[in-house]
Each structure stands twice: as structure tokens, then as C-alpha cells.
Amino acid sequence: EVELLESGGGLVQPGGSLRISCVASGFTFSSYVMSWVRQAPGKGLEWVSSITGRSGKIYQADSVEGRFIISRDNSKNTVYLQMNSLRAEDTAMYFCARDEGGIDHWGQGTLVTVSS
Amino acid sequence: DIVMTQSPLSLTVTPGEPASISCRSSQSLLHSNGYNYLHWYVQKAGQSPQLLISLGSIRASGVPDRFSGSGSGTDFTLKISRVEAEDVGVYYCMQAIQTPRYTFGQGTKLEIK
């Protein structure tokens, strides 16, 4: 069974940094693109960033370009999102997602709140 | 970016009655391989989204057959043949033709009368 477990969310001040993680199990992690999708409170879904399985090629939304960095450690079945220069509008639930030509599995999410 | 537009944004249905949600994309989602790269998800209260339909019309594992997806190119429809109380939630379409730069529709909130 595919499982994705996010962690690391919390309250951070504007301009601050945070790293969130997602541990995967139940599939061959290195064979899949992994993505982060966020959802602001009461709002819809927004794709944030993706990283390919072995080559580690990175894709990012314009809204986070230059501030967020996705990475992965295939030996630990873990994908990360390093978030810098955080803004109030980055406040959201961040979901880890497995990509199979489209997202087929989602984690339960970790909440990031940017506020002073 | 491909813009995804859903309608209606809110839907109230009597149990046992059908429901239909439309999704339109600003560019064709029809790949040269013949598949439409359009997926449907439902997000129930307090939960993460879950896959309902992939590639326009393929039901995900465990999804009841009262759910069906249709359409091609830029116009797609999710139909529920007979709505049940457990179908309450927000339904999203997502384009995957520009994988992994996905974009989502605004969401359609389904409530039971």
C-alpha cells in the first residue's frame, strides 16, 4: 500500500525558513516523480514543485521560483521542500504527492503558517 | 499555463439523483497517444484529495461505477449516476498534459439536499 507521510510544518515568521519532509513507502520510490501541492485555507489546489526520480530534474511554479527548493534522498525514500523567504501568502496545507503521469496518491498534508 | 474552468462551483443534489460537473481547459489535453490528460479528484472534509478518474475516463481502483468521466480535447464531464450521502465533497479536475506543471480547476462543492 502506498503511503506518504509529511512532517515539519509549523508557525514561521514572514521572511523565515522551514523545511518540510515526506517519507514514502509501499512503492519503488526512486522510480517516481514526486511533487508538492499546496492548499491555502478555504482555497483550491496549487501545484508547487516536482522532482524526477533518478536524475533529480526540478520543476517549480513561478510563485515559488527562487525561494523554494525541492530535493530528494532516494536512500531514505524521502522528498523535501526547503522554503525560504516565506510570505503570508505561503500559508497553506502542503501535500506530498506521487506522480504517475498525473498525481495518483496524496499524503495527508502538513500545515505551514506564516505569521508574525 | 493551462487554465482549467469548472462549472458549476456549487451543486446540491437529492440522494439517488444524478449529478454532472463540467471542466474546460484553455488548451487541448489530447495527447498524440490518444489519451486525454485530464484527471478528477474528490476532497472530502478534512482529508487530502483522492483520485477518482484518470486520463479522462479510467476509474481509479475502488471507485464505484456510479462515477464516470467523459470528454475529449478541451471539454470534459464528471457524472455521478446516483448520488449518495458519502459523495459529499469538493471535486477538482486537473490537467496533466503539461506534466508535472499541473493546474487545477477551482473546485465544485457537492452537497446533499
Side-chain angles (χ1 to χ4, degrees), chain A residues 1 4-5 8 12 17 25-26 28 33 35-36 41 61 66 72:
Chain A
E1 180 188 1
L4 302 169
L5 184 61
V12 60
S17 297
S25 61
T28 304
V33 175
S35 299
W36 288 96
R72 66 191 295 160

Side-chain angles (χ1 to χ4, degrees), chain A residues 94-110:
Chain A
Y94 284 74
F95 296 104
C96 171
R98 190 182 83 163
D99 191 318
E100 179 78 39
I103 295 171
D104 65 348
H105 286 89
W106 303 70
Q108 288 303 304
T110 188

Side-chain angles (χ1 to χ4, degrees), chain A residues 4-108:
Chain A
L4 302 169
L5 184 61
E6 302 94 335
S7 63
L11 176 64
V12 60
Q13 291 189 339
S17 297
L18 197 65
R19 188 179 81 158
I20 58 178
S21 305
C22 170
V23 178
S25 61
F27 63 99
T28 304
F29 181 72
S30 59
S31 295
Y32 287 84
V33 175
M34 297 298 295
S35 299
W36 288 96
V37 176
R38 68 184 180 182
Q39 185 172 38
K43 302 297 184 182
L45 300 166
E46 179 190 17
W47 170 77
V48 174
S49 189
S50 300
I51 185 167
T52 60
R54 289 191 168 84
S55 67
K57 184 174 181 179
I58 290 171
Y59 301 83
Q60 289 183 297
D62 291 345
S63 58
V64 304
E65 185 76 42
R67 300 188 300 122
F68 290 11
I69 304 167
I70 191 172
S71 62
R72 66 191 295 160
D73 185 337
N74 287 340
S75 70
K76 295 182 178 179
N77 285 3
T78 302
V79 60
Y80 305 95
L81 188 66
Q82 175 68 44
M83 300 181 289
N84 302 320
S85 302
L86 282 160
R87 306 166 180 166
E89 55 265 35
D90 295 319
T91 294
M93 184 71 77
Y94 284 74
F95 296 104
C96 171
R98 190 182 83 163
D99 191 318
E100 179 78 39
I103 295 171
D104 65 348
H105 286 89
W106 303 70
Q108 288 303 304

Side-chain angles (χ1 to χ4, degrees), chain B residues 25-111:
Chain B
S25 58
S26 60
Q27 298 177 34
S28 177
L29 304 185
L30 179 60
H31 194 277
S32 56
N33 63 13
Y35 289 102
N36 285 282
Y37 279 70
L38 184 284
H39 302 305
W40 289 98
Y41 302 88
V42 61
Q43 186 175 29
K44 299 182 180 180
Q47 297 183 19
S48 58
Q50 58 191 84
L51 179 65
L52 282 175
I53 302 281
S54 62
L55 298 177
S57 61
I58 302 173
R59 275 191 305 276
S61 176
V63 173
D65 61 8
R66 64 178 182 275
F67 289 90
S68 64
S70 64
S72 184
T74 61
D75 290 342
F76 299 89
T77 303
L78 175 69
K79 291 182 179 177
I80 309 174
S81 58
R82 296 173 304 279
V83 170
E84 297 186 5
E86 66 181 28
D87 299 336
V88 167
V90 181
Y91 291 77
Y92 293 94
C93 60
M94 182 194 85
Q95 66 78 16
I97 195 79
Q98 290 185 343
T99 184
R101 297 184 181 277
Y102 306 118
T103 50
F104 297 86
Q106 314 98 301
T108 296
K109 186 174 184 179
L110 174 64
E111 296 177 305

